[in-house]
Amino acid sequence: MAKERPEKAEETEQMIEKEVAKEAAEGGGAGDGRDMRAVLLSGFGGLNKLRVARKVMPEPQEGELKIRVKACGLNFIDLMVRQGNIDNPPKTPLVPGFELSGIVEAIGGNVTGFEIGDRVMAFTNYNAWAEVVCTPAEFVYNIPDDMSFSEAASFPMNFVTAYMMLFEVANLREGMSVLVHSAGGGVGQAVAQLCSTIPDVRVFGTASSFKHEAIKNSLTHLFDRNADYVQEVKRISPDGVDIVLDCLCGDNTGKGIGLLKPLGTYILYGSSNMVTGETKSFFSFAKSWWQVEKVNPIKLYEENKIMAGFSLLNLLFKQGRAGVIKGVVDKLLALYNQKKIKPLVDSLWALEEVKEAMQRIHDRGNIGKLVLDVEKAPTPLMANDSTETSEAGEEEEDHELDTENKERMPFIQ
């Protein structure tokens, strides 16, 4: 793997230090209680682009809440952001992360419905992986007393995405069938749980074989992700399925549309097949899109099939549908209070362990959600890995992470 030139790396580090110094000069410096720890992405690329740094603590603007963060969710989209493998990526350096849970610490002007001390979960347009976050109140939701902060950090992205696709886009009803890829991941498990709330819904899932024992009871039929799942589905259900939820893209698009029954719905909500190595690969990007079957609208018309896409982050932050999402969150919390759904937490990681956590999700090793626990102390093996990088580390940052860390035992609630 090509390494970043030493002079380029040094220039990037100098830029980061200047940025931190500028923030300190404008808002107070370290040691006065107004700074915080945060995960910083210095540039797009490999794991070596991540580090924990101190930044000036934000204060709420009008319409915002200041939240003392307890836990943050880690999603596959965060991995793609790190690589710069998204449309119109933001400028770096930046603090990654889109969801969190914590306690309301301060309230900006014109905010109602919240009090200091409230336990909440929230969406934020980046900046989640920090000790303190300010985000508009319309993206913040009170959580039940019996919901842990790790569960709350696992809830918004996964369950809202699953609910919107199943009920708002595909109109899931009694007796229907669903095929979901990456069934062992956070969204996949949320889909399985939500399908169980509707009578007589059959769920077909694909997942890595080592996950099958842990998740087999949550799905009706489970196939190895590398097997010919199309033939397996047709053997069980010759007419196909009513809903296909695809986070892979590539040649799975054509396969998914081909499996639909008349009036069935295919929904693309990710493109994880584009991620193969630690850094962005033009070859993987080109291969994935080359394999996407060209969709003929006339054929969709003739076969009575529906093709759709869903991006929760775009719906929230670009298309102004926070009110719609609030209604969905209310319905989901009602299901949680009825003990019908419950977030599945794979493992907890300190901020300083973000590289190891990200490697685990890259390796598709998680069953459920990976969570960054802001108050958790790093293990001794990782304690010095993500803070100030040593000279030896700068020379070897592209190496494979320690096998023992990648095989860390999951924490499942």
Side-chain angles (χ1 to χ4, degrees):
M1 181 182 296
K3 297 184 183 293
E4 186 176 37
R5 298 193 312 275
E7 60 270 22
K8 180 66 174 178
E10 183 178 353
E11 179 182 338
T12 301
E13 290 297 317
Q14 290 176 351
M15 179 183 67
I16 294 171
E17 296 302 334
K18 288 180 179 179
E19 186 75 17
V20 173
K22 179 182 177 183
E23 289 183 350
E26 292 175 349
D32 66 358
R34 287 189 287 175
D35 67 332
M36 65 176 186
R37 291 157 56 239
V39 175
L40 200 66
L41 180 66
S42 61
F44 299 119
L47 295 169
N48 62 308
K49 301 296 184 181
L50 293 166
R51 56 174 284 197
V52 174
R54 300 208 71 87
K55 289 176 61 68
V56 174
M57 187 182 299
E59 294 299 329
Q61 304 300 308
E62 186 160 320
E64 291 185 339
L65 293 172
K66 178 182 178 181
I67 301 171
R68 175 65 60 171
V69 179
K70 295 294 186 178
C72 327
L74 198 157
N75 299 284
F76 205 88
I77 186 65
D78 298 311
L79 190 153
M80 298 185 74
V81 167
R82 191 203 76 212
Q83 294 186 347
N85 210 352
I86 58 173
D87 287 335
N88 300 314
K91 293 181 179 180
T92 56
L94 62 86
V95 176
F98 297 101
E99 63 182 339
L100 59 103
S101 63
I103 298 173
V104 175
E105 195 168 82
I107 301 175
N110 292 325
V111 174
T112 59
F114 294 95
E115 296 181 358
I116 293 175
D118 281 352
R119 301 170 73 250
V120 296
M121 60 186 177
F123 292 107
T124 182
N125 196 8
Y126 296 99
N127 297 310
W129 296 355
E131 291 182 311
V132 175
V133 167
C134 291
T135 192
E138 62 182 345
F139 302 142
V140 183
Y141 320 97
N142 286 297
I143 62 175
D145 292 339
D146 61 344
M147 179 181 280
S148 69
F149 287 118
S150 58
E151 285 183 331
S154 307
F155 199 86
M157 287 282 286
N158 291 348
F159 276 93
V160 172
T161 295
Y163 188 98
M164 290 291 295
M165 292 192 297
L166 289 172
F167 298 105
E168 300 295 330
V169 180
N171 193 22
L172 178 67
R173 300 183 303 282
E174 181 176 351
M176 295 179 75
S177 53
V178 179
L179 169 64
V180 58
H181 292 296
S182 298
V187 173
Q189 284 298 289
V191 166
Q193 290 186 33
L194 288 170
C195 285
S196 72
T197 67
I198 305 298
D200 195 27
V201 171
R202 291 193 299 169
V203 183
F204 299 78
T206 68
S208 300
S209 57
F210 75 89
K211 300 182 181 183
H212 286 199
E213 184 63 27
I215 67 173
K216 64 182 181 181
N217 294 329
S218 64
L219 300 106
T220 316
H221 304 283
L222 185 57
F223 314 117
D224 188 274
R225 69 188 301 266
N226 297 314
D228 185 356
Y229 65 86
V230 172
Q231 293 306 314
E232 291 295 318
V233 171
K234 287 185 175 180
R235 179 179 60 81
I236 299 168
S237 178
D239 291 338
V241 296
D242 297 290
I243 301 169
V244 174
L245 305 178
D246 181 11
C247 60
L248 304 177
C249 199
D251 61 354
N252 292 283
T253 299
K255 293 177 181 179
I257 294 174
L259 278 173
L260 288 179
K261 294 179 180 180
L263 302 181
T265 303
Y266 165 92
I267 305 174
L268 181 69
Y269 71 100
S271 53
S272 63
N273 275 350
M274 293 183 186
V275 177
T276 52
E278 186 181 335
T279 57
K280 181 178 180 179
S281 167
F282 177 78
F283 175 76
S284 298
F285 178 87
K287 179 182 178 183
S288 183
W289 281 109
W290 179 260
Q291 290 176 332
V292 175
E293 182 176 307
K294 305 302 181 289
V295 178
N296 184 340
I298 299 299
K299 188 176 181 181
L300 292 176
Y301 152 72
E302 292 174 344
E303 297 181 354
N304 284 299
K305 295 181 178 181
I306 302 163
M307 183 177 184
F310 182 76
S311 167
L312 176 57
L313 296 179
N314 284 346
L315 197 67
L316 274 172
F317 302 125
K318 294 183 179 180
Q319 297 165 339
R321 295 299 190 271
V324 173
I325 301 305
K326 175 64 166 64
V328 169
V329 171
D330 289 343
K331 294 175 183 177
L332 287 168
L333 289 177
L335 291 173
Y336 177 87
N337 288 328
Q338 296 164 20
K339 311 299 183 186
K340 292 184 177 181
I341 61 173
K342 182 180 178 66
L344 179 62
V345 179
D346 173 81
S347 47
L348 303 178
W349 306 78
L351 290 182
E352 290 79 7
E353 298 168 340
V354 64
K355 295 181 183 180
E356 289 77 13
M358 193 162 275
Q359 184 68 50
R360 182 171 175 81
I361 199 170
H362 177 275
D363 294 340
R364 279 73 167 178
N366 57 299
I367 299 175
K369 188 78 161 204
L370 284 86
V371 173
L372 297 179
D373 184 339
V374 176
E375 297 180 343
K376 182 180 182 297
T379 61
L381 284 173
M382 306 173 191
N384 297 319
D385 189 46
S386 297
T387 51
E388 296 302 325
T389 308
S390 66
E391 292 182 4
E394 289 177 353
E395 295 173 359
E396 299 178 3
E397 281 174 325
D398 285 329
H399 75 299
E400 288 291 327
L401 289 170
D402 189 272
T403 303
E404 182 178 350
N405 294 338
K406 289 197 291 183
E407 295 179 352
R408 170 179 171 148
M409 291 299 291
F411 166 78
I412 299 180
Q413 295 185 330

